Short mmCIF file of all heavy atoms in Angstrom, two decimals:
data_model
loop_
_atom_site.label_atom_id
_atom_site.label_comp_id
_atom_site.label_asym_id
_atom_site.label_seq_id
_atom_site.Cartn_x
_atom_site.Cartn_y
_atom_site.Cartn_z
N LEU P 496 0.84 -1.21 0.00
CA LEU P 496 0.00 0.00 0.00
C LEU P 496 0.87 1.25 0.00
O LEU P 496 0.58 2.23 -0.72
CB LEU P 496 -0.90 0.00 1.24
CG LEU P 496 -1.82 1.20 1.42
CD1 LEU P 496 -2.77 1.32 0.23
CD2 LEU P 496 -2.60 1.12 2.72
N LEU P 497 1.91 1.25 0.78
CA LEU P 497 2.80 2.41 0.80
C LEU P 497 3.46 2.63 -0.56
O LEU P 497 3.61 3.78 -1.03
CB LEU P 497 3.88 2.21 1.87
CG LEU P 497 3.38 2.25 3.33
CD1 LEU P 497 4.54 1.88 4.28
CD2 LEU P 497 2.84 3.63 3.66
N ARG P 498 3.82 1.52 -1.18
CA ARG P 498 4.45 1.65 -2.51
C ARG P 498 3.47 2.22 -3.52
O ARG P 498 3.82 3.12 -4.32
CB ARG P 498 4.95 0.27 -2.97
CG ARG P 498 5.77 0.31 -4.28
CD ARG P 498 6.21 -1.09 -4.65
NE ARG P 498 5.07 -1.95 -4.90
CZ ARG P 498 4.38 -1.93 -6.06
NH1 ARG P 498 4.74 -1.12 -7.05
NH2 ARG P 498 3.37 -2.73 -6.24
N VAL P 499 2.22 1.75 -3.49
CA VAL P 499 1.22 2.24 -4.44
C VAL P 499 0.91 3.71 -4.16
O VAL P 499 0.75 4.50 -5.09
CB VAL P 499 -0.07 1.38 -4.33
CG1 VAL P 499 -1.20 1.99 -5.14
CG2 VAL P 499 0.21 -0.04 -4.81
N GLN P 500 0.81 4.10 -2.86
CA GLN P 500 0.54 5.50 -2.53
C GLN P 500 1.66 6.40 -3.02
O GLN P 500 1.43 7.53 -3.50
CB GLN P 500 0.37 5.64 -1.01
CG GLN P 500 -0.93 5.05 -0.48
CD GLN P 500 -1.03 5.16 1.04
OE1 GLN P 500 -0.03 5.50 1.69
NE2 GLN P 500 -2.21 4.87 1.57
N GLU P 501 2.88 5.91 -2.92
CA GLU P 501 4.02 6.71 -3.39
C GLU P 501 3.95 6.90 -4.91
O GLU P 501 4.18 8.01 -5.42
CB GLU P 501 5.33 6.02 -2.99
CG GLU P 501 6.56 6.83 -3.33
CD GLU P 501 7.83 6.13 -2.87
OE1 GLU P 501 7.72 5.03 -2.25
OE2 GLU P 501 8.93 6.67 -3.11
N GLN P 502 3.59 5.85 -5.62
CA GLN P 502 3.46 5.95 -7.07
C GLN P 502 2.34 6.91 -7.46
O GLN P 502 2.47 7.70 -8.39
CB GLN P 502 3.19 4.56 -7.66
CG GLN P 502 4.39 3.62 -7.56
CD GLN P 502 4.09 2.23 -8.11
OE1 GLN P 502 2.96 1.97 -8.53
NE2 GLN P 502 5.10 1.36 -8.13
N LEU P 503 1.21 6.87 -6.71
CA LEU P 503 0.10 7.77 -6.99
C LEU P 503 0.51 9.22 -6.76
O LEU P 503 0.12 10.13 -7.53
CB LEU P 503 -1.11 7.41 -6.11
CG LEU P 503 -1.85 6.13 -6.50
CD1 LEU P 503 -2.92 5.81 -5.45
CD2 LEU P 503 -2.49 6.28 -7.87
N ALA P 504 1.27 9.46 -5.72
CA ALA P 504 1.70 10.82 -5.44
C ALA P 504 2.58 11.36 -6.57
O ALA P 504 2.43 12.51 -7.00
CB ALA P 504 2.44 10.86 -4.10
N LEU P 505 3.51 10.51 -7.04
CA LEU P 505 4.36 10.94 -8.15
C LEU P 505 3.55 11.20 -9.39
O LEU P 505 3.79 12.19 -10.11
CB LEU P 505 5.42 9.85 -8.41
CG LEU P 505 6.46 9.65 -7.30
CD1 LEU P 505 7.37 8.46 -7.62
CD2 LEU P 505 7.31 10.91 -7.13
N ALA P 506 2.55 10.34 -9.62
CA ALA P 506 1.72 10.51 -10.82
C ALA P 506 0.91 11.80 -10.72
O ALA P 506 0.76 12.54 -11.71
CB ALA P 506 0.78 9.31 -10.98
N GLU P 507 0.40 12.14 -9.55
CA GLU P 507 -0.37 13.38 -9.39
C GLU P 507 0.51 14.60 -9.60
O GLU P 507 0.09 15.59 -10.20
CB GLU P 507 -0.98 13.42 -7.97
CG GLU P 507 -2.14 12.44 -7.80
CD GLU P 507 -2.67 12.46 -6.37
OE1 GLU P 507 -2.07 13.17 -5.53
OE2 GLU P 507 -3.68 11.77 -6.09
N LYS P 508 1.73 14.53 -9.10
CA LYS P 508 2.65 15.66 -9.32
C LYS P 508 2.95 15.86 -10.80
O LYS P 508 2.99 16.99 -11.28
CB LYS P 508 3.95 15.43 -8.54
CG LYS P 508 3.78 15.56 -7.04
CD LYS P 508 5.11 15.33 -6.34
CE LYS P 508 4.96 15.46 -4.83
NZ LYS P 508 6.24 15.25 -4.11
N GLU P 509 3.13 14.74 -11.51
CA GLU P 509 3.40 14.83 -12.95
C GLU P 509 2.22 15.42 -13.67
O GLU P 509 2.37 16.30 -14.55
CB GLU P 509 3.72 13.44 -13.50
CG GLU P 509 5.06 12.88 -13.06
CD GLU P 509 6.22 13.66 -13.67
OE1 GLU P 509 6.03 14.26 -14.75
OE2 GLU P 509 7.29 13.72 -13.03
N LEU P 510 1.00 14.97 -13.30
CA LEU P 510 -0.19 15.50 -13.96
C LEU P 510 -0.39 16.97 -13.66
O LEU P 510 -0.77 17.75 -14.55
CB LEU P 510 -1.43 14.72 -13.48
CG LEU P 510 -1.57 13.29 -14.01
CD1 LEU P 510 -2.74 12.59 -13.33
CD2 LEU P 510 -1.75 13.29 -15.52
N GLU P 511 -0.13 17.39 -12.45
CA GLU P 511 -0.30 18.80 -12.08
C GLU P 511 0.71 19.66 -12.83
O GLU P 511 0.39 20.76 -13.31
CB GLU P 511 -0.11 18.97 -10.56
CG GLU P 511 -0.39 20.38 -10.09
CD GLU P 511 -0.23 20.50 -8.59
OE1 GLU P 511 0.08 19.47 -7.94
OE2 GLU P 511 -0.45 21.59 -8.06
N LYS P 512 1.92 19.16 -12.95
CA LYS P 512 2.94 19.90 -13.67
C LYS P 512 2.56 20.07 -15.13
O LYS P 512 2.68 21.16 -15.71
CB LYS P 512 4.29 19.19 -13.52
CG LYS P 512 5.44 19.94 -14.13
CD LYS P 512 6.75 19.19 -13.88
CE LYS P 512 7.94 19.93 -14.49
NZ LYS P 512 9.24 19.21 -14.29
N LYS P 513 2.07 18.99 -15.75
CA LYS P 513 1.66 19.04 -17.16
C LYS P 513 0.45 19.95 -17.33
O LYS P 513 0.35 20.69 -18.30
CB LYS P 513 1.33 17.64 -17.66
CG LYS P 513 2.56 16.75 -17.77
CD LYS P 513 2.17 15.37 -18.27
CE LYS P 513 3.41 14.45 -18.39
NZ LYS P 513 3.04 13.11 -18.86
N PHE P 514 -0.47 19.93 -16.38
CA PHE P 514 -1.69 20.72 -16.49
C PHE P 514 -1.37 22.22 -16.36
O PHE P 514 -1.97 23.06 -17.03
CB PHE P 514 -2.69 20.30 -15.39
CG PHE P 514 -3.97 21.06 -15.45
CD1 PHE P 514 -4.90 20.84 -16.47
CD2 PHE P 514 -4.25 22.03 -14.49
CE1 PHE P 514 -6.06 21.55 -16.50
CE2 PHE P 514 -5.41 22.74 -14.55
CZ PHE P 514 -6.33 22.51 -15.55
N GLN P 515 -0.42 22.55 -15.50
CA GLN P 515 -0.05 23.96 -15.34
C GLN P 515 0.60 24.53 -16.60
O GLN P 515 0.58 25.73 -16.81
CB GLN P 515 0.89 24.11 -14.14
CG GLN P 515 0.21 23.88 -12.81
CD GLN P 515 1.17 23.97 -11.64
OE1 GLN P 515 2.41 24.16 -11.88
NE2 GLN P 515 0.66 23.81 -10.43
N GLN P 516 1.18 23.71 -17.38
CA GLN P 516 1.84 24.17 -18.60
C GLN P 516 0.86 24.36 -19.75
O GLN P 516 1.22 24.92 -20.78
CB GLN P 516 2.94 23.17 -19.02
CG GLN P 516 4.08 23.14 -18.02
CD GLN P 516 5.11 22.08 -18.37
OE1 GLN P 516 4.93 21.33 -19.36
NE2 GLN P 516 6.20 22.02 -17.58
N THR P 517 -0.38 24.01 -19.60
CA THR P 517 -1.37 24.11 -20.69
C THR P 517 -2.00 25.49 -20.65
O THR P 517 -2.00 26.20 -19.63
CB THR P 517 -2.46 23.05 -20.52
OG1 THR P 517 -3.11 23.24 -19.27
CG2 THR P 517 -1.87 21.65 -20.60
N ALA P 518 -2.58 25.96 -21.87
CA ALA P 518 -3.23 27.27 -21.99
C ALA P 518 -4.50 27.32 -21.18
O ALA P 518 -4.87 28.36 -20.63
CB ALA P 518 -3.53 27.56 -23.47
N ALA P 519 -5.20 26.23 -21.09
CA ALA P 519 -6.47 26.21 -20.33
C ALA P 519 -6.22 26.50 -18.86
O ALA P 519 -6.98 27.23 -18.22
CB ALA P 519 -7.15 24.84 -20.48
N TYR P 520 -5.17 26.02 -18.32
CA TYR P 520 -4.85 26.25 -16.91
C TYR P 520 -4.56 27.73 -16.69
O TYR P 520 -5.03 28.33 -15.70
CB TYR P 520 -3.66 25.39 -16.50
CG TYR P 520 -3.17 25.67 -15.09
CD1 TYR P 520 -3.90 25.18 -14.00
CD2 TYR P 520 -2.03 26.44 -14.88
CE1 TYR P 520 -3.45 25.46 -12.72
CE2 TYR P 520 -1.60 26.72 -13.60
CZ TYR P 520 -2.31 26.21 -12.51
OH TYR P 520 -1.90 26.48 -11.22
N ARG P 521 -3.78 28.35 -17.66
CA ARG P 521 -3.45 29.75 -17.49
C ARG P 521 -4.71 30.61 -17.56
O ARG P 521 -4.88 31.55 -16.78
CB ARG P 521 -2.43 30.17 -18.56
CG ARG P 521 -1.03 29.58 -18.29
CD ARG P 521 0.02 30.25 -19.17
NE ARG P 521 -0.24 30.05 -20.59
CZ ARG P 521 0.21 29.03 -21.28
NH1 ARG P 521 0.96 28.10 -20.73
NH2 ARG P 521 -0.10 28.92 -22.57
#
């Protein structure tokens, strides 16, 4: 469970980073 939670956290950070770079976010 800890391993999966860590992977989810990394995935959320990646998605947030990608979303902030889009025109819709701005």
Side-chain angles (χ1 to χ4, degrees):
L496 178 60
L497 291 174
R498 187 180 62 79
V499 171
Q500 288 178 350
E501 185 178 357
Q502 291 178 358
L503 287 174
L505 293 175
E507 287 177 355
K508 289 180 180 180
E509 290 292 334
L510 287 174
E511 185 178 359
K512 185 177 180 181
K513 291 180 180 180
F514 181 71
Q515 290 177 357
Q516 293 176 357
T517 59
Y520 174 76
R521 288 193 299 271

